[in-house]
Amino acid sequence: MSSHDATLEFDYETPSRAELVAESVAREIGEIDDDRSRTTLDRDGSRVRIDIDAADAVALRAALNTWFSLIDVAERTADAGEAILAPA
């Protein structure tokens, strides 16, 4: 399928933060894929990697926008949870 592709890599302070973010967005793998794009997600220690293969530039742009948004929400949610659980 791939005539267009992109790799997104996100590095975190700790493996546990990377795991939290990866698990938060992993449930979307397969749910938002379609005939024009496919995505895979891997985590290695403190790094989360998202590979996107798309049939065309429009599908690649749409997938990139989606995954950047999903990662952003997961990161902000993790920050909010950490702030609540942090000792005063």
Side-chain angles (χ1 to χ4, degrees):
M1 169 201 314
S2 177
S3 63
H4 296 78
D5 59 68
T7 299
L8 309 175
E9 291 185 348
F10 302 91
D11 291 317
Y12 295 95
E13 309 82 37
T14 63
S16 62
R17 175 54 71 100
E19 180 179 18
L20 178 63
V21 171
E23 287 182 3
S24 295
V25 299
R27 64 189 78 244
E28 301 301 330
I29 297 291
E31 292 296 317
I32 57 178
D33 288 345
D34 59 23
D35 292 341
R36 294 173 53 207
S37 70
R38 295 275 181 260
T39 304
T40 59
L41 181 141
D42 294 302
R43 185 183 66 82
D44 183 19
S46 297
R47 177 172 290 165
V48 174
R49 177 183 169 130
I50 298 172
D51 291 303
I52 302 167
D53 291 320
D56 55 72
V58 173
L60 180 61
R61 179 189 51 80
L64 285 167
N65 288 340
T66 297
W67 287 103
F68 276 126
S69 294
L70 290 170
I71 290 290
D72 180 57
V73 169
E75 289 173 348
R76 287 188 290 127
T77 303
D79 288 343
E82 188 175 274
I84 291 169
L85 296 175

